[in-house]
């Protein structure tokens, strides 16, 4: 036994030799502030004679019974793993143990509200922390059903992945809740939330006619600030959108959303029992950027019910399949199903800028990362897995066609429901619906790191007529991959005080230079915007004439997404020392006052401060800083 850090090789071997049928987990939450009781019974099959271990991070193990034989806990348990030798074809294991509450947001977290002294519990199991609550084969491809029974104070609200049953009340003021078994799911998306939470309930009708109970939970001392009706409204919009686009009804029996204290992340997609940071319970007025971010997060976790919970990656190297897809799908749903129609603008200026920044650091990695063990997973919840992955999925949608992309996703859900997959399983379905071979595309986009730079190159005659036009592509020396891009080019001209797009062409760009014959013979516009509509993942450049027009007139472009692409382009070229810092300052000070998108304002003002303090010529830095401050 080798501690908490499960390796991929160990997981592969274990999955080849065992298959888990069911867990019954009985939790006693009445043992004080330090520990709780956990009795786990696991039914599983195995290769006869196989020796392995079950994960169980415990404070004490009272008994271990394997196929009716009592094992010595001192001999088989080291506090992290329990050794299981000479297995039968069919096995029943019962572990009686105690485990510790945490206050780090791992396992079963215990919080005491300083306002009223009430105790609140919730679980956080991703990546490998369900083993901190019960004995479990802790890897995503050993799916099983989970049946939880919990004994806790009678006055508490108790919820898990399945609908909450009527409790059996006891004379000492406690009660026991016995939940129905879950569908086959991975251990890391099981959940328990318990305490005197304030709850608002509602329901909706799923696409298959089922009534799905809904709940919004928060601690009592925050309940006056919880705008549950708005959360329900966004949830209903998301349900309708995803069920329609995925052509697959919501796969679980209820949907609770719980805003929990001291949460160490933004949210977690536990099946039917999603937890969120309390930062999303607004106790005062917040910016539109924060309000929109909450909507995207709500829909991100809802998208996970299909991508991650219904169909789960086999091992953590395909974590991007979960997170990139949820990032992409939630932005799409926010833009098309809610009042936040400019979600792709927010995505471009915040998520993509995060991705571009991380993709240019020495720590960058391919979207499909090499994850040899659990420790390696932790460093991959980053801008590559989330933001670059989501960007590349948007690019893939443009590459194969949006309708074909969603049709392939629907087929993927139907074929692999309640199972586990790898990257190739999704690509097979997308190839079938689109007719495009994605083998090379996958290698170039998902299996290599780095970001390309695209810039227009053109010549004109004396009358301003374009005589040649191409897109030039470069790659950094450390990651010299030239990639195919599906992208658009927009021509913008000043007209009646507006900078208006009056021509657009969409094409495949590949190689170091791609001729664009469709633009030859047209009059050169005032501003040329490559990657218009932000289909591609690449840094883009403005030609010098377009930059001058942008500095003077960016505010006159009506489309927020187009504006965000110009903001991002000039920021990138300033960061790369191709554009003078003073030009970026001119762009911002001349155009930011009328910017409509809250996240754009928030992001660009941060970039402005960095440019003024660090990027401009030291000889003029003080004068520029005073100018920005004024």
């Amino acid at each position: 036994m080798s501690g908490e850090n499960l390796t991929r090789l160990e997981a592969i071997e274990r999955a080849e030799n065992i298959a888990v049928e069911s867990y019954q987990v009985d939790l006693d939450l009445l043992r004080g502030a330090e520990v709780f009781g956990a009795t786990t019974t696991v039914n599983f099959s195995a290769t006869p004679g196989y020796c392995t271990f079950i994960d169980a991070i415990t404070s004490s193990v009272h008994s271990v019974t394997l196929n009716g034989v009592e094992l010595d806990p001192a001999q088989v348990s080291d506090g992290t793993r329990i050794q299981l030798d000479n297995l039968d074809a069919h096995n029943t294991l019962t572990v009686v143990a105690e485990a510790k509450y945490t206050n780090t947001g791992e396992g079963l977290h215990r919080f005491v509200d300083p306002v009223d002294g009430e105790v609140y519990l919730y679980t956080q199991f991703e990546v490998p922390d369900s083993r901190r609550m019960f004995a479990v084969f802790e890897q995503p491809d050993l799916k099983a059903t989970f049946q939880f029974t919990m004994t806790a104070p009678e006055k508490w609200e108790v919820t898990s992945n399945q609908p909450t049953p009527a409790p059996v009340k006891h004379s000492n003021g406690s009660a026991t809740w016995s939940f129905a078994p879950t569908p086959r799911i991975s251990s890391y998306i099981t959940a328990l939330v318990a305490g005197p939470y304030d709850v608002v309930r509602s329901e909706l009708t799923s696409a298959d006619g089922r009534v799905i109970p809904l709940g919004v939970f928060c601690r009592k001392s925050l309940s006056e600030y919880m705008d549950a009706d708005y959360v329900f409204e966004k949830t209903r919009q998301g349900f309708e959108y995803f069920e329609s686009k995925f052509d697959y009804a919501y796969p679980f029996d209820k949907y609770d959303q719980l805003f929990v204290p001291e949460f160490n992340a933004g949210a977690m997609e536990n099946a039917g029992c999603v937890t969120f940071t309390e930062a999303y319970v607004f106790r005062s007025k917040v910016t539109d950027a924060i309000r929109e971010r909450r909507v995207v997060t709500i829909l991100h976790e809802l998208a996970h019910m299909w991508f991650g919970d219904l169909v789960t990656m086999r091992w953590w190297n395909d974590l991007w399949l979960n997170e990139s897809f949820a990032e992409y799908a939630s932005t799409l749903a926010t833009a098309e199903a809610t009042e936040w129609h400019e979600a792709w603008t927010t995505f471009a200026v915040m998520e993509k800028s995060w991705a571009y920044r991380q993709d240019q650091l020495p720590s960058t990695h391919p979207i499909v990362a090499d994850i040899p063990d659990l420790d390696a997973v932790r460093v991959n919840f980053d801008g590559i897995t989330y933001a670059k992955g989501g960007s590349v999925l948007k690019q893939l949608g443009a590459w194969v066609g949006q309708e074909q992309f969603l049709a392939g996703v629907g087929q993927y859900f139907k074929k692999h429901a309640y199972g586990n997959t790898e990257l190739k399983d999704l690509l097979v379905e997308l190839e079938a619906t689109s007719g495009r071979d994605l083998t090379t595309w996958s290698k170039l986009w998902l299996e290599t790191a780095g970001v390309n730079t695209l810039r227009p190159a053109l010549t004109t005659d004396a009358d301003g007529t374009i005589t040649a036009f191409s897109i030039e592509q470069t790659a950094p020396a450390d990651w010299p991959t030239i990639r195919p891009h599906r992208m658009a080019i927009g021509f913008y001209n000043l007209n009646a005080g507006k900078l208006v797009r009056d021509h657009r062409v969409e094409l495949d760009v590949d190689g170091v230079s791609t001729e664009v014959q469709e633009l030859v013979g047209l009059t050169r516009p005032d501003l040329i915007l490559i990657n218009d509509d932000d289909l591609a993942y690449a840094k883009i450049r403005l030609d010098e004439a377009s930059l001058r027009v942008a500095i003077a007139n960016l505010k006159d472009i009506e489309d927020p997404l187009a504006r965000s692409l110009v903001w991002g382009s000039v920021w990138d070229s300033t960061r790369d020392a191709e554009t003078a810092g003073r030009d970026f300052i001119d762009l911002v000070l001349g155009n930011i006052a009328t910017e409509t998108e809250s996240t754009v304002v928030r992001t660009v003002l941060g970039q402005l401060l960095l440019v003024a303090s660090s990027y401009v010529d030291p000889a003029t830095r003080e004068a520029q800083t005073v100018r920005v401050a004024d």
Side-chain angles (χ1 to χ4, degrees):
M1 293 188 282
S2 57
E4 296 182 19
N5 189 25
L6 180 74
T7 70
R8 182 172 61 208
L9 292 177
E10 287 176 316
I12 290 171
E13 181 196 304
R14 194 160 63 171
E16 287 174 346
N17 286 280
I18 71 170
V20 189
E21 296 156 18
S22 65
Y23 292 86
Q24 292 84 41
V25 181
D26 191 336
L27 298 168
D28 180 357
L29 306 179
L30 300 174
R31 299 190 184 182
E34 300 295 327
V35 299
F36 57 91
T39 298
T40 309
T41 298
V42 193
N43 291 291
F44 63 102
S45 59
T47 302
Y50 180 61
C51 300
T52 187
F53 59 89
I54 192 167
D55 306 276
I57 298 177
T58 56
S59 61
S60 60
V61 177
H62 301 300
S63 69
V64 179
T65 306
L66 177 61
N67 298 328
V69 177
E70 293 280 345
L71 307 181
D72 182 357
Q75 294 295 317
V76 298
S77 173
D78 62 0
T80 300
R81 297 177 173 183
I82 296 172
Q83 186 68 29
L84 306 173
D85 292 335
N86 196 27
L87 293 171
D88 295 339
H90 299 283
N91 302 274
T92 299
L93 170 71
T94 299
V95 177
V96 180
E98 285 186 333
K100 292 182 179 181
Y101 294 110
T102 74
N103 59 4
T104 57
E106 302 159 296
L108 184 54
H109 183 102
R110 186 179 188 272
F111 170 81
V112 180
D113 192 333
V115 176
D116 54 20
E118 295 280 16
V119 173
Y120 293 89
L121 308 178
Y122 64 88
T123 55
Q124 170 62 18
F125 290 157
E126 190 176 40
V127 176
D129 288 323
S130 65
R131 58 187 175 164
R132 296 184 186 277
M133 192 172 87
F134 58 96
V136 59
F137 295 105
E138 186 79 283
Q139 58 191 77
D141 59 341
L142 289 178
K143 286 189 167 184
T145 64
F146 294 82
Q147 191 273 312
F148 292 107
T149 298
M150 304 164 199
T151 301
E154 178 188 331
K155 66 176 183 176
W156 281 10
E157 294 284 345
V158 176
T159 187
S160 182
N161 305 99
Q162 291 296 98
T164 301
V168 175
K169 299 178 181 179
H170 308 303
S171 59
N172 63 354
S174 67
T176 298
W177 290 260
S178 295
F179 289 81
T182 68
R184 290 187 65 82
I185 58 176
S186 298
S187 56
Y188 78 92
I189 56 170
T190 59
L192 161 67
V193 184
Y197 286 87
D198 185 81
V199 57
V200 181
R201 300 193 186 278
S202 188
E203 63 184 31
L204 59 76
T205 301
S206 181
D208 59 4
R210 290 175 300 139
V211 174
I212 306 297
L214 307 176
V216 170
F217 294 66
C218 70
R219 55 186 162 117
K220 286 180 179 179
S221 58
L222 291 182
S223 60
E224 65 180 293
Y225 306 108
M226 186 71 249
D227 51 341
D229 287 346
Y230 185 80
V231 175
F232 286 138
E233 179 185 283
K234 299 308 111 183
T235 303
R236 289 190 178 91
Q237 290 169 341
F239 260 79
E240 183 177 357
Y241 186 84
F242 289 143
E243 288 189 329
S244 170
K245 295 298 183 183
F246 298 162
D247 192 28
Y248 196 103
Y250 175 69
F252 302 105
D253 292 333
K254 57 97 176 179
Y255 195 67
D256 288 333
Q257 296 173 92
L258 307 108
F259 296 80
V260 298
E262 297 184 329
F263 201 60
N264 68 8
M268 177 60 203
E269 67 268 20
N270 312 308
C273 190
V274 175
T275 45
F276 294 90
T277 172
E278 280 184 347
Y280 285 141
V281 181
F282 301 142
R283 284 167 271 187
S284 60
K285 190 172 183 179
V286 297
T287 63
D288 280 354
I290 300 300
R291 292 174 61 228
E292 181 185 26
R293 187 69 211 165
R294 181 176 68 166
V295 172
V296 173
T297 304
I298 288 169
L299 296 180
H300 178 108
E301 303 311 318
L302 181 57
H304 270 311
M305 297 301 112
W306 287 266
F307 225 113
D309 292 5
L310 173 67
V311 182
T312 313
M313 75 254 147
R314 190 173 306 283
W315 179 248
W316 296 101
N317 50 295
D318 280 322
L319 173 65
W320 79 278
L321 269 178
N322 280 11
E323 299 303 344
S324 304
F325 185 88
E327 200 74 1
Y328 165 78
S330 61
T331 306
L332 187 67
T334 301
E336 297 187 1
T338 78
E339 74 272 29
W340 301 97
H341 303 302
E342 297 301 332
W344 285 118
T345 301
T346 299
F347 183 87
V349 78
M350 186 169 74
E351 302 301 312
K352 271 196 166 178
S353 65
W354 179 32
Y356 293 149
R357 186 170 66 253
Q358 291 217 331
D359 213 4
Q360 296 174 86
L361 296 175
S363 56
T364 190
H365 57 85
I367 294 173
V368 178
D370 179 34
I371 306 293
D373 52 39
L374 290 178
D375 284 352
V377 186
R378 302 177 194 278
V379 297
N380 279 284
F381 287 87
D382 61 4
I384 305 300
T385 297
Y386 282 76
K388 182 180 180 180
S391 303
V392 169
L393 283 180
K394 184 181 183 184
Q395 166 66 186
L396 180 56
W399 186 256
V400 303
Q402 181 82 3
E403 288 187 13
Q404 292 84 351
F405 178 84
L406 290 172
V409 166
Q411 287 301 113
Y412 171 83
F413 292 143
K414 293 180 181 72
K415 182 179 289 188
H416 299 288
Y418 304 104
N420 295 87
T421 58
E422 299 172 343
L423 167 63
K424 63 184 179 182
D425 298 308
L426 176 61
L427 296 183
V428 163
E429 303 308 321
L430 297 179
E431 287 179 338
T433 55
S434 71
R436 281 215 181 201
D437 181 359
L438 296 177
T439 305
T440 301
W441 186 95
S442 173
K443 288 187 186 312
L444 295 174
W445 276 108
L446 303 177
E447 299 167 38
T448 62
V451 57
N452 299 104
T453 301
L454 303 175
R455 65 184 79 231
L458 68 155
T459 57
T460 60
D461 63 17
D463 297 328
T465 300
I466 296 172
T467 56
F469 195 108
S470 62
I471 301 296
E472 308 299 312
Q473 179 177 185
T474 56
D478 289 345
W479 299 96
T481 304
I482 298 297
R483 299 180 176 89
H485 307 262
R486 184 70 180 176
M487 58 175 286
I489 303 169
F491 278 13
Y492 288 76
N493 283 297
L494 287 163
N495 185 1
K498 299 294 182 184
L499 193 52
V500 180
R501 185 173 76 184
D502 52 22
H503 189 75
R504 177 187 185 274
V505 60
E506 187 173 319
L507 73 159
D508 289 344
V509 170
D510 202 357
V512 295
S513 181
T514 302
E515 299 292 331
V516 189
Q517 290 296 328
E518 299 98 313
L519 300 180
V520 175
L522 300 180
T523 301
R524 183 206 163 90
D526 293 319
L527 183 145
I528 298 167
L529 182 57
I530 65 173
N531 195 29
D532 206 359
D533 298 320
D534 199 27
L535 302 178
Y537 173 82
K539 295 195 295 182
I540 61 172
R541 293 290 187 259
L542 300 177
D543 64 275
E544 187 61 31
S546 295
L547 174 62
R548 295 299 146 201
V549 171
I551 290 172
N553 302 282
L554 176 58
K555 62 184 178 298
D556 300 319
I557 298 178
E558 291 187 329
D559 178 17
L561 180 56
R563 291 198 305 270
S564 77
L565 292 169
V566 176
W567 287 121
S569 173
V570 183
W571 162 248
D572 279 331
S573 61
T574 303
R575 187 178 184 273
D576 291 347
E578 293 182 24
T579 296
R582 62 182 176 275
D583 285 340
F584 184 82
I585 292 174
D586 289 344
L587 176 76
V588 177
L589 296 186
N591 296 279
I592 197 67
T594 55
E595 178 56 60
T596 60
E597 300 308 303
S598 179
T599 302
V600 175
V601 174
R602 179 188 184 196
T603 302
V604 169
L605 289 181
Q607 294 165 346
L608 173 67
L609 295 179
L610 180 59
V611 170
S613 63
S614 301
Y615 289 0
V616 297
D617 178 358
T620 63
R621 184 170 298 158
E622 183 177 355
Q624 293 285 13
T625 303
V626 169
R627 180 175 167 233
V628 167
D630 288 346

